[in-house]
Amino acid sequence: MNVRQATQQDAVKIIEVMKDAEASGFMLYNPNERQLTSESLEKLISHINAAAKSSFFVAEENEEILGYLMVKGEHLSRTSHRASIAIGVHSLNRGKGTGTKLFEYVINWAKQQQLHRLELTVIEHNHQAIHLYKKMGFKEEGIKRDSLWIDGQFVNEIYMSLLL
């Protein structure tokens, strides 16, 4: 498995992973809610990769995209030491080290970028993701109460961070 920066040519394959990840019900978007086109994702990849302390990464094997991890840095002097992340792994590759490889790569990359803090939120009942984040060194910081509306009920998100 190889982790690398995404390119615009990866857009179609990344969309497949995003749709599959969103079908899990554990992502911000409901299944089939996000209407991404290859053109809009190409622009997003280009925009993120061009921004300071930001990048869009993919894990691939045999020319197939297994997962992605986006890092979005901040630009104000008081917050430029931190970045938020979003990750998605195709259901066929969960529990097989894809998320771990993405995080290992991104943590090393973040240190080179002189980032001090990576942060994310996760749906409180996404136990598999929480296990991965804790394994990678993320700590729970708090609860974002009733922050999402899922299947007719309010759901909490957990704030997590990793200090580098």
Side-chain angles (χ1 to χ4, degrees):
M1 181 184 320
N2 178 46
V3 176
R4 62 172 173 78
Q5 189 177 55
T7 67
Q8 292 177 319
Q9 291 74 29
D10 296 319
V12 171
K13 291 180 180 178
I14 293 170
I15 288 172
E16 291 174 19
V17 176
M18 287 180 159
K19 285 182 178 181
D20 179 79
E22 289 166 1
S24 73
F26 288 123
M27 304 296 280
L28 181 61
Y29 289 91
N30 277 320
N32 301 312
E33 180 177 15
R34 184 174 10 195
Q35 298 301 313
L36 273 177
T37 64
S38 58
E39 294 80 18
S40 65
L41 187 57
E42 287 171 13
K43 287 179 186 176
L44 178 64
I45 291 168
S46 180
H47 175 75
I48 291 174
N49 286 345
K53 297 183 181 181
S54 301
S55 198
F56 198 125
F57 297 99
V58 293
E60 70 174 350
E61 191 171 70
N62 300 322
E63 299 183 23
E64 289 300 317
I65 303 294
L66 311 178
Y68 64 89
L69 196 154
M70 289 182 277
V71 183
K72 293 183 183 179
E74 297 197 24
H75 307 291
L76 299 175
S77 61
R78 291 185 176 189
T79 60
S80 63
H81 66 284
R82 70 185 188 199
S84 59
I85 62 174
I87 183 172
V89 175
H90 194 284
S91 60
L92 296 176
N93 298 295
R94 290 184 201 133
K96 297 181 179 179
T98 303
T100 300
K101 291 285 188 195
L102 281 162
F103 271 111
E104 288 172 347
Y105 188 93
V106 166
I107 289 167
N108 287 328
W109 173 88
K111 289 175 181 176
Q112 293 172 2
Q113 301 300 308
Q114 298 181 331
L115 286 166
H116 176 67
R117 174 185 169 90
L118 296 176
E119 53 192 36
L120 56 83
T121 63
V122 58
I123 294 172
E124 71 179 348
H125 57 270
N126 188 349
H127 303 293
Q128 187 175 15
I130 293 167
H131 174 77
L132 170 64
Y133 304 152
K134 286 181 176 180
K135 180 176 93 169
M136 300 312 300
F138 282 75
K139 305 285 186 220
E140 291 184 21
E141 293 188 325
I143 302 291
K144 198 173 176 182
R145 297 178 307 133
D146 289 355
S147 67
L148 300 173
W149 180 255
I150 300 174
D151 297 330
Q153 63 184 13
F154 289 106
V155 176
N156 297 336
E157 285 180 283
I158 300 171
Y159 280 108
M160 298 184 80
S161 72
L162 172 67
L163 300 181
L164 305 173

